[in-house]
């Protein structure tokens, strides 16, 4: 999947956060520690450093959400890092129920909270939930 395609899906999927540009995706993918797992309608971007994997973002096009693609992407990237990473981390807005349910179903549990971390237009900022999964 090209950085431009990622930017299109990201902009369609994230309605309450700033979309990332194709240039930003290209720059991230230039980092040898960063990789993408993709399906035609979605992708996950992951950084793995020193035995720790971090989910940077995951997005499925809204026209194709709720069809199991997000779960496939999670399995894809977690299987890829499992041989070399012992734990995985991610951050999610506390009001993002679909993502929280997906991550919990994939073995992530809450590891911390950043209060009022995500700004929202015309609404109070939302907490960030830090989640961790053991890959052992
Ligand atoms: C989060 C996201 C990637 C999930 O992708 P998806 O393809 O729709 O998810 P799936 O169809 O694979 O669903 C997998 C699980 O996620 C949870 N889930 C998905 N959509 C849900 C919804 N609308 N409400 C509650 N739980 C939901 C469920 O646990 C579901 O498992 P189940 O079908 O057995 O109940 C997708 O909703 C998305 O792109 N959202 C916008 C971007 C975003 O918020 N990314 C995460 C930022 S941290």
């Amino acid at each position: 999947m090209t950085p431009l395609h990622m930017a299109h899906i990201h902009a369609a999927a994230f309605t309450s956060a700033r979309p990332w540009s194709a240039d930003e995706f290209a720059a991230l993918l230039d980092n040898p520690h960063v990789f993408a797992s993709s399906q035609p309608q979605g992708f996950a971007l992951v950084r793995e450093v020193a035995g720790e994997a971090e989910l940077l973002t995951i997005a499925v096009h809204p026209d194709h959400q709720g069809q199991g693609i997000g779960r496939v992407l999670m399995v894809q990237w977690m299987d890829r890092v499992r041989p070399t990473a012992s734990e995985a981390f991610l951050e999610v807005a506390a009001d993002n129920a679909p993502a929280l349910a997906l991550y919990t179903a994939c073995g992530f549990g809450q590891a911390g909270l950043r209060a009022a971390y995500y700004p929202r237009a015309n609404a109070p900022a939302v907490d960030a939930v830090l989640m961790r999964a053991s890959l052992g």
Side-chain angles (χ1 to χ4, degrees):
M1 180 176 288
T2 65
L4 188 59
H5 194 179
M6 288 181 179
H8 282 313
I9 291 176
H10 196 267
F14 281 90
T15 48
S16 58
R18 183 186 70 82
W20 299 3
S21 70
D23 284 350
E24 286 172 294
F25 281 113
L28 281 165
L29 289 165
D30 267 350
N31 181 330
H33 295 291
V34 174
F35 69 89
S37 292
S38 63
Q39 294 288 315
Q41 309 84 356
F43 66 93
L45 201 64
V46 177
R47 176 166 49 213
E48 187 192 344
V49 180
E52 282 187 7
E54 182 189 5
L55 178 64
L56 301 177
T57 191
I58 182 169
V60 173
H61 193 284
D63 292 348
H64 299 279
Q65 288 177 6
Q67 299 172 5
I69 297 167
R71 192 185 289 267
V72 167
L73 290 168
M74 291 294 292
V75 169
Q76 248 181 281
W77 76 259
M78 290 175 78
D79 280 353
R80 175 161 166 176
V81 299
R82 197 166 270 115
T84 45
S86 56
E87 20 177 34
F89 295 89
L90 59 81
E91 237 174 57
V92 55
D95 61 356
N96 191 342
L100 279 164
L102 172 63
Y103 301 148
T104 303
C106 292
F108 282 81
Q110 183 166 340
L113 199 73
R114 288 191 221 279
Y117 187 73
Y118 294 108
R120 291 285 188 258
N122 308 316
V126 173
D127 296 344
V129 180
L130 311 184
M131 302 186 86
R132 175 190 172 279
S134 173
L135 297 172

